[in-house]
Amino acid sequence: MPAPRRDLHELNRLAWNEATRAHNSHKGDQARFFREGGSTLFPEELELLGPLEGKRLVHLQCNAGQDSLSLARLGARVTGVDISDEAIAFASELSRAAGIPADFVRADIYDWFDAAAAAGEQFDLAFSSYGAVCWLSDLSAWGRGIAGILAPGGAFVLVEFHPVVCMYDDELRLTWPYRDPEPVLGDGVGDYVAASREGLVPWGFEEGVTGFKNPHRGAEFAHGTADVITALIEAGLVLEVFREYEYANGCRFFSCAEMREGRRYYLPAGVPAIPQMYAVRARKPA
């Protein structure tokens, strides 16, 4: 049975530490944005999550905590987990400065799954989104980990960029496989915030770091949608929702993409549409 590749996770931890600093350099006074009632969430995830008041929610691969705090503001009791030291330090400080309580844990999620299950922690909701699945080295262990920390009747919600969109480079040239059991070693996390600008920073993009080049390599994994869904089903969860979307929320993958209402990036007229996002909701039997 395959096991999580913690050696590759360590490469990614270093790369995300560097990238997180660059990403946040473009986002200005985020604490003020949250204090004034701002939210970084999109309608798709809110619909799938449902009412949040009083729910115990774990945000897996939470990055620097902006979505975590948006969920907490809606009444959820949020725990955010991420492998990046820089991201978790920033999230904790943003929580304090914004006055929105949430707990943040720096851990490889596979280690966190084991520790949380051993401690008997259970959650009503588990959530993950936007560029999370490609960093998972073992989907089977991931699915089992989610099932292990959900309370009976609890649900896992994933809103994610589609593996089809990841097959193409910025100029719509095929460069990646749809799925591949082997990791792909690349240049490390880039500055997608600079590429997406107001799509990811609607309160006011700032130039910040320019010409960012990550000094650390990264390891990504090409998982198809069937791989993701199968891992959840084999872990004992029941699939409730699977959707595909022809747009990407906030993130500009292609130089020709056009941002339309709702900060959604579409391919232009004359370019065949491809799925750019998908969503899954799976529930643990009561």
Side-chain angles (χ1 to χ4, degrees), residues 121-141:
E121 294 188 59
Q122 290 197 316
F123 296 85
D124 304 302
L125 292 166
F127 174 64
S128 192
S129 66
Y130 303 116
V133 168
C134 65
W135 307 105
L136 298 170
S137 60
D138 185 342
L139 284 184
S140 294

Side-chain angles (χ1 to χ4, degrees), residues 50-98:
L52 293 172
E53 185 66 40
K55 296 290 181 67
R56 300 164 297 176
L57 183 150
V58 61
H59 186 182
L60 302 170
Q61 297 166 274
C62 68
N63 196 261
Q66 293 90 348
D67 284 358
S68 308
L69 296 181
S70 298
L71 293 163
R73 166 162 280 143
L74 294 173
R77 290 181 284 158
V78 174
T79 298
V81 183
D82 199 89
I83 198 169
S84 167
D85 318 76
E86 186 73 20
I88 290 299
F90 184 90
S92 298
E93 173 56 24
L94 183 60
S95 172
R96 184 202 64 77

Side-chain angles (χ1 to χ4, degrees), residues 107-261:
D108 184 315
I109 63 163
Y110 294 99
D111 296 331
W112 181 84
F113 283 140
D114 292 342
E121 294 188 59
Q122 290 197 316
F123 296 85
D124 304 302
L125 292 166
F127 174 64
S128 192
S129 66
Y130 303 116
V133 168
C134 65
W135 307 105
L136 298 170
S137 60
D138 185 342
L139 284 184
S140 294
W142 171 75
R144 292 193 301 271
I146 292 169
I149 55 87
L150 280 177
F156 170 63
V157 170
L158 171 70
V159 182
E160 179 59 286
F161 297 125
H162 204 289
V164 165
V165 82
C166 299
M167 296 169 61
Y168 297 87
D169 69 9
D170 180 62
E171 301 297 328
L172 282 170
R173 295 171 297 208
L174 281 167
T175 56
W176 269 56
Y178 177 75
R179 61 189 301 270
D180 192 332
E182 296 301 317
V184 179
L185 293 175
D187 292 334
V189 187
D191 193 355
Y192 54 81
V193 178
S196 303
R197 301 180 71 85
E198 286 76 13
L200 290 175
V201 194
W203 58 92
F205 175 85
E206 297 185 5
E207 286 301 327
V209 172
T210 59
F212 174 73
K213 182 174 176 58
N214 205 311
H216 300 287
R217 301 192 74 191
E220 297 183 59
F221 303 86
H223 301 302
T225 54
D227 300 319
V228 172
I229 292 169
T230 298
L232 298 171
I233 291 172
E234 288 183 344
L237 303 184
V238 177
L239 182 66
E240 292 185 333
V241 174
F242 173 63
R243 296 177 184 157
E244 294 175 304
Y245 309 86
E246 65 173 313
Y247 53 83
N249 280 342
C251 199
R252 187 180 190 183
F253 283 100
F254 309 110
S255 58
C256 64
E258 302 170 346
M259 188 170 70
R260 301 179 191 169
E261 185 179 359

Side-chain angles (χ1 to χ4, degrees), residues 41-49 130 249 262-264:
L41 299 170
F42 287 89
E44 290 80 6
E45 50 257 37
L46 290 172
E47 178 198 353
L48 289 166
L49 285 165
Y130 303 116
N249 280 342
R263 293 187 290 125
R264 294 166 170 165

